[in-house]
Amino acid sequence: MMVSGSAMPRPPLRNVRVVDLGSAWAGPMAGHLLADMGAEVIKVESRARMDGMRLGRPMIPIENQGEDLTGGDRGLWPELQPVFHGLNRNKLSVTLNLRTETGRSILQRLSSVSDVVLANFSPGVLERLGMDYASLRAVKPDIIVASMPAFGDTGPLRDMVAYAPIIQAMSGMMSLVGYAPEEGEPLVGELQAAWSDTVAALCAALGVAAALRHRNRTGQGQYVEAAHLEGTAALLGVPMLGYQMTGRIPVPPGNDDPDFAPHNNYPCAGEDAWVAIAVGTEEEWQALAGVIDRDGAGCSGLAGDARFADKLSRWTNRRDLDEFVAAWTRNLSPQQVVERLQAVGVAAMPVMNIADQFADPHLNARETYVEIDHPHVGAEMVYGVPWRFSGAPGSVRAPAPLLGQHNDYVLQQLLGMDGRRVDELVAQQVVY
């Protein structure tokens, strides 16, 4: 983005240092969201307890290895996992063995010259490491500690250990993933991604930003708790309020939305080709009906059908309406449907697979995906910054770090150790 005077805007978190103790998905994502906005995020990891996202075989071809996606890793494991790369871009890496007393002591020193400590441990782990808020603020009064327990630091579920699928089940979200009961389809239940991890990461990053703003105004640090269960449950406001108001237990809505009809994915000409259509206003309905009537295709007269005379009628008879719309879309490609409907102000988009998304001109223009050059993988695509600020845009500036890539910077430049001391710590497997 060009700005006046050709000077690029400075990222808002450029003077913030974050100690990132996160592993798997939720903690690392919260860390990279802060790093995307300019924070210096130092990922603390170790071969003694490696981030699980580094493990396993690479899922992408490696140079000089052809298309063998499951073959040898040329001794580069654990540097090849693309999921890890997306969740840890823009970060630095220091390897500290926190199973040693010296490793924990170095971590505490690093925290004393940092602004934020971020972790997605179970309750009690930070205390055992000496990294809980009470311990750290005794050394650095304005420290911010952000914790991401599954079910919170207090309450009867406090000590439960859980990953995303359990949290999504406990929140009630899984009971709503599927088609409406009258469609006769089995409950889908599970989601294809760690949705609650993503939500918790966003909550934690926002909580840290709010705590930094508070610290800058008052000089006071804060403890931020971003419980996965609460973040996930916050997405379920409509079904929860519906139950409170009517006493009816929520059921899977499928693609239904009470404010739209039609609102669904419709089959198109071609193999597994679909289009999404959403109509919310009377004007949009008249436009859709007009296009379908003009095309004919055995489904004319839609605008005058009494079953669809108003919004409530269309919602009540949405299954019949879906059949009318599908009879029209089956004769057209997704792009033909999109062009006809968008031209008259009706929301419509092709249902895209992964390849379609990478090729979509709008998503590319919005930098939904960005290319980064990883030293062992080469050019690879990671998802971009999930928001856009005109005056302070975030960016993906660097690939995920190699394990321990920045040990010298952290230990010698930040903490003032000499090279001989670092070599001793490596020999003792403290820096490991």
Side-chain angles (χ1 to χ4, degrees), residues 202-223:
L202 289 164
C203 291
L206 179 61
V208 167
L212 287 167
R213 187 168 186 262
H214 174 79
R215 186 206 63 179
N216 292 344
R217 288 182 166 188
T218 67
Q220 299 172 348
Q222 283 192 329
Y223 177 70

Side-chain angles (χ1 to χ4, degrees), residues 23 26 44 121 136 144 150 153 175 180 255-256 284 291 320 334 336 348 351 355 360 371 412 429:
S23 62
V44 179
F121 296 138
L136 291 181
I144 295 165
D153 290 324
S175 69
N255 291 322
D256 290 343
E284 292 168 358
V291 170
D320 293 339
Q336 288 174 318
V351 177
D360 183 74
E371 185 176 292
Q412 296 188 49
Q429 293 192 348

Side-chain angles (χ1 to χ4, degrees), residues 123 149-161 170 225 227 229-230:
F151 298 102
D153 290 324
T154 59
L157 301 180
R158 173 186 185 274
D159 294 322
M160 283 188 63
V161 178
M170 293 289 288
E225 181 201 275
L229 181 66
E230 292 172 0

